């Protein structure tokens, strides 16, 4: 049985109480905190920068999984690592020199992750298997929370799982977008071991978060 990790996306949190929201999901059983960084250019939405990451860093010791939906990413890698990112994930679609970006993330002291949009084939990671610690399969088009899971991506998750197993390296396979208690089982059966969930975790008041996370975990395991 796969040990599944749940990474609540704070994009769905109440931003007027962000630190408390991070503490609440940490107490509720989260494994990672997923931070969605958007630039209004690579994706049609704007969210948060390194100062906010540094601010919420005080709210928990859980690893921060920082998903950069920005182009270019390189000028901001160091700042996000200094702000407290443990994993920094970038999109190959966001710039021409993704191998350099992955090296810069590792040199800065974080784990490098590579995120693939729904329209990007699994094969793009093949030459980069040595350089990544996490692969993120997007199951919505990035930019917004609360979108519907794109079923066609299950085959790509299966292909990525085969590639990771063949590599012999310990690479996390994370899935992001439309993850909830209804979709989690198919996603984990396809090979994922880290589930990002925004709207399915931050629903109801904070007293509901533990059950929201547990429901996804039960469905997945
Ligand atoms: C979308 C983000 C996701 C988003 C997921 O661009 O990368 O992390 O917050 O939200 P839900 O879980 O609501 O689909
Ligand atoms: Zn994300």
């Amino acid at each position: 049985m796969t040990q599944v990790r749940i990474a609540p996306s704070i994009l769905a949190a109440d931003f007027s109480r962000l630190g408390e929201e991070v503490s609440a999901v940490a107490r509720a059983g989260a494994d990672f905190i997923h931070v969605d960084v958007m630039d209004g250019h690579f994706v049609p939405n704007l969210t948060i920068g390194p100062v906010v990451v540094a601010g919420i860093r005080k709210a928990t010791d859980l690893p921060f999984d920082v998903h950069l939906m920005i182009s270019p990413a390189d000028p901001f890698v160091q700042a996000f690592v200094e702000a407290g990112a443990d994993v920094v994930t970038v999109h190959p679609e966001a710039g021409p020199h993704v191998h350099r970006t992955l090296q810069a993330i590792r040199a800065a002291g974080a784990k490098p992750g590579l995120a693939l949009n729904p329209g990007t084939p699994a094969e793009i990671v093949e030459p980069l298997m040595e350089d990544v610690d996490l692969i993120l399969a997007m199951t919505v088009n990035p930019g917004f929370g609360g979108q519907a899971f794109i079923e066609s991506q299950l085959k790509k998750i299966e292909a990525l799982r085969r590639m990771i197993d063949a590599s012999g390296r310990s690479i996390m396979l994370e899935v992001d977008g439309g993850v909830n208690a209804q979709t989690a089982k198919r996603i984990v059966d396809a090979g994922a071991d880290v589930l990002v969930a925004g709207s399915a975790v931050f629903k109801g008041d904070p007293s509901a978060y533990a059950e929201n996370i547990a429901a996804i975990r039960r469905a997945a395991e």
Side-chain angles (χ1 to χ4, degrees):
M1 192 168 73
T2 329
Q3 156 86 43
V4 175
R5 284 183 274 204
I6 310 286
S9 161
I10 60 166
L11 190 58
D14 176 349
F15 273 60
S16 71
R17 302 184 301 104
L18 200 51
E20 291 162 48
E21 291 276 76
V22 169
S23 307
V25 285
R27 279 195 308 274
D31 298 294
F32 297 153
I33 302 295
H34 184 84
V35 181
D36 287 305
V37 177
M38 305 185 184
D39 67 353
H41 163 71
F42 179 63
V43 291
N45 197 3
L46 274 170
T47 57
I48 70 177
V51 290
V52 177
V53 174
I56 58 173
R57 187 61 281 185
K58 302 179 192 87
T60 179
D61 293 330
L62 287 182
F64 276 12
D65 159 31
V66 175
H67 178 192
L68 298 185
M69 288 161 275
I70 64 175
S71 172
D74 295 29
F76 296 99
V77 164
Q78 185 74 33
F80 279 105
V81 175
E82 283 171 10
D86 296 281
V87 181
V88 176
T89 299
V90 294
H91 280 257
E93 308 91 348
H97 306 299
V98 71
H99 179 267
R100 174 183 291 155
T101 309
L102 296 169
Q103 286 182 311
I105 295 167
R106 207 184 285 291
K111 292 185 193 303
L114 193 61
L116 309 186
N117 281 336
T120 301
E123 288 67 33
I124 201 166
V125 306
E126 192 78 69
L128 301 166
M129 293 304 273
E130 295 291 314
D131 305 294
V132 295
D133 291 334
L134 178 146
I135 297 170
L136 168 51
M138 291 300 304
T139 43
V140 298
N141 286 296
F144 302 94
Q147 303 181 79
F149 180 77
I150 303 173
E151 296 284 336
S152 62
Q153 300 304 304
L154 287 168
K155 282 214 163 355
K156 189 161 83 187
I157 297 165
E158 289 170 5
L160 289 167
R161 169 47 61 199
R162 285 192 295 272
M163 290 164 68
I164 289 171
D165 289 349
S167 79
R169 293 194 65 242
S170 146
I171 298 172
M172 294 178 272
L173 180 51
E174 180 174 59
V175 169
D176 184 6
V179 176
N180 53 43
Q182 286 69 51
T183 54
K185 180 166 169 35
R186 276 171 292 152
I187 296 167
V188 169
D189 285 350
D193 52 17
V194 184
L195 301 180
V196 176
S199 44
V201 168
F202 289 97
K203 118 186 134 186
D205 63 60
S207 66
Y209 298 168
E211 176 48 29
N212 295 344
I213 290 173
I216 298 169
R217 212 184 283 284
R218 274 197 306 274
E221 294 176 351

